[in-house]
Every structure is written in structure tokens, then in C-alpha cells.
Amino acid sequence: MQDNNNRWVLAAQCPSRLGTVDVVTRFLKESRCYITEQHSFDDRLSGRFFIRTEFRPEAEGFEAASFETGFAERAAEFGMTFELTPPDRRMPTVIMVSKADHCLNDLLYRYRIGQLPIDIRAIVSNHPDLASLAEWHDIPYHHFPITPDTKLEQEAQVWQVVEETGAELVILARYMQVLSSEMCEKLSGRAINIHHSLLPGFKGARPYHQAYEKGVKLVGATAHYINDDLDEGPIITQGVESVSHADYPEDLVAKGRDVECLTLARAVALHVERRAFLHARRTVVFDR
């Protein structure tokens, strides 16, 4: 009987060269591993190749360390970097939040029912409001107030939590503070942010009310990796919802909350399942 839960993931990228697919598939065959899903993409503009392969070992006694050592020898010829993810691994995660709780609530629910393969080690906030929610889920809650004068000290506290928990992913679930350049650099490639993405876009306070005044027909959200350019990091995924003249500002806010939750959860899943590849300022995303 086949074990559908015994699915490993090999995600790799390298410069575009002849034989990039073969080096992966041939090594898997020689290692007696059966490919259950595979996606690849060759970016002709950047000259970069990306591949994600799910497989299950057919032989008993599969050893990840031996597999990685053997594949590294083959991959070196192609300048290929790779990650091997075992089945059912839950990525150590820290969530950052301010006062709005809709994205946090959604993530906690998906975490609780096992829909998101993450291990939430801590919740960090610049406000005390959501401490009871974290307590109900038995997750440590760290309240670190912040002012313009204490920003660097507060970020040092946040970074200490990230390091002590071994977090490989930081989720900004409507964390309403701009991270410093230093913090963005430390979290590069492992921090995901969500923000409203209205068409046309509106910045500043009360974005949905601005959208209502302009009579927009779409509201949306964008999930992206953070970088030093505010809300302009590499995009992982986006969501859109139609609205009409019959929707009032509070309706736009409600629809916007739903889109933000779904879009953020989808981005987190794509990241932890190694479906999102980051290269320079762009992403390659192999969706399901």
C-alpha cells in the first residue's frame, strides 16, 4: 500500500543549463524515489532555472542526510542550490500583529485544524489587545510597545524572540509598523506581509473609505516578501473581490478583511510548501 503522507519535497534553482531537469529526475530514479508531482520553469530573461519535485521513497530506510550529500555532489556541477523538506514538517513561525485580529484569527484557525504546516512559536505585538487570543491557543504572547524613540530597542526585542524560537518564517498579520532597513535585511526571504491592494491603490488612513469615495469596483489584497521598499516587496500572491455601488464603506471593509485573510493564508502555504521561489525582486510560484 502506498503511503500518501510520505511525500518529500526537493526545491532547487540554478543558472539555466542543459541537463537541469535530468540531474534531478535521474538522481531520484537512482535513489529509488517515485516522483508524484513536478513543476519547473526556465526564466529566459534572468537565465535562471527553478524546479520543485514531490517524491516518495520506494525503498525502506530512506536517509535524508545521505540523499542530500549525494544530490549535492550532482548539483554542484550546475551551481544548483536546493532544499529538501521531509513529510509533515511544520515550519517554526512567529506572527506579528497590532490591533486588527482578522488575519491572526484566520491563521490560528488554519493552524489549529492542521491546514497550515506551521508551528507557531510566538505572537509579537506592539499592543496588548490580543493577548487573550494567544493565551487561548497556548501560544506565548510578547507585548513590545513602540514609539519613534524606542523603535530600534523594540526591534531588538522582536529579533531576540525570532532567534530564541528558531523561527524560519515571520508573518506580519496586519502589523501596522514600518520595519527598519536593518530588520528588513535580517528577515529577507523569510517574512511575509499582507496589505490592502485596491484598484486603483489608496495609501494612508481609511483606504476603504477612500475607495468608496472613488466608486471602485474591485477591492483586493497583496501578500509579499518584505524588503526595504515599503509595500513593494516581491509578490507571492494576490486576491480580488468585486464590489458595486450598493456596497457602503463598511461593506468594503468587510470584503477587504476576507480577501486579506485568504490571500495571506495562501501565501503562507505556498512558502512553507516550497512552492514560492525568490530571486532578486521577483518570485516564481508553482501553485497547486
Side-chain angles (χ1 to χ4, degrees):
M1 181 180 295
Q2 295 178 351
D3 184 0
N4 291 328
N5 294 319
N6 190 23
R7 301 289 176 86
W8 294 70
V9 175
L10 179 64
Q13 61 173 291
C14 64
S16 300
R17 276 191 54 189
L18 183 67
T20 48
V21 174
D22 180 71
V23 71
V24 173
T25 57
R26 185 181 296 273
F27 185 79
L28 287 170
K29 178 179 181 297
E30 293 173 358
S31 302
R32 296 190 63 193
C33 296
Y34 181 82
I35 295 173
T36 57
E37 180 185 331
Q38 183 160 274
H39 300 271
S40 65
F41 174 67
D42 186 80
D43 188 343
R44 62 181 176 82
L45 296 182
S46 68
R48 197 79 181 165
F49 175 78
F50 306 84
I51 187 167
R52 179 190 184 275
T53 303
E54 282 191 20
F55 66 91
R56 66 169 183 264
E58 294 288 278
E60 294 185 4
F62 178 81
E63 295 184 358
S66 298
F67 181 95
E68 289 182 305
T69 299
F71 185 71
E73 294 176 357
R74 303 281 186 91
E77 177 186 348
F78 295 84
M80 181 179 285
T81 58
F82 69 93
E83 291 178 303
L84 180 67
T85 304
D88 301 324
R89 183 179 189 273
R90 300 169 67 192
M91 184 174 288
T93 300
V94 166
I95 299 178
M96 299 181 68
V97 66
S98 289
K99 289 186 175 182
D101 64 356
H102 56 286
C103 285
L104 176 61
N105 259 311
D106 184 75
L107 290 171
L108 289 173
Y109 173 72
R110 296 172 191 272
Y111 161 73
R112 192 168 70 244
I113 66 173
Q115 185 177 337
L116 283 178
I118 57 177
D119 177 13
I120 303 176
R121 302 280 177 89
I123 297 172
V124 174
S125 180
N126 55 322
H127 295 283
D129 302 54
L130 303 179
S132 59
L133 182 60
E135 183 180 357
W136 191 86
H137 287 83
D138 196 27
I139 298 173
Y141 188 86
H142 301 274
H143 171 218
F144 299 142
I146 186 172
T147 68
D149 294 331
T150 64
K151 184 179 182 68
L152 294 181
E153 290 83 354
Q154 192 258 13
E155 287 192 345
Q157 292 176 300
V158 174
W159 181 247
Q160 184 176 359
V161 171
V162 172
E163 287 197 306
E164 289 179 351
T165 59
E168 298 173 16
L169 173 64
V170 175
I171 305 171
L172 280 66
R174 292 303 302 270
Y175 180 68
M176 307 307 289
Q177 292 290 323
V178 179
L179 300 181
S180 68
S181 299
E182 293 77 15
M183 194 65 165
C184 288
E185 184 176 351
K186 287 179 179 179
L187 294 175
S188 178
R190 57 174 175 143
I192 297 174
N193 189 27
I194 185 71
H195 68 84
H196 59 84
S197 176
L198 298 165
L199 305 175
F202 299 96
K203 296 183 178 181
R206 296 163 65 86
Y208 292 106
H209 290 74
Q210 295 179 52
Y212 173 78
E213 294 297 330
K214 294 292 186 181
V216 302
K217 298 298 181 280
L218 295 171
V219 296
T222 298
H224 62 91
Y225 291 110
I226 66 167
N227 65 7
D228 201 19
D229 294 324
L230 180 62
D231 291 339
E232 295 186 14
I235 294 171
I236 304 170
T237 190
Q238 295 178 294
V240 175
E241 177 71 25
S242 297
V243 296
S244 76
H245 61 275
D247 290 306
Y248 292 96
E250 59 270 23
D251 300 315
L252 270 62
V253 171
K255 288 189 175 185
R257 282 196 300 258
D258 290 343
V259 175
E260 288 170 12
C261 290
L262 290 170
T263 304
L264 179 58
R266 183 166 171 241
V268 171
L270 290 168
H271 176 84
V272 299
E273 293 174 8
R274 308 298 187 190
R275 294 180 182 273
F277 293 74
L278 180 61
H279 178 63
R281 297 179 63 87
R282 302 185 71 247
T283 58
V284 171
V285 179
F286 296 129
D287 212 338
R288 293 182 183 84

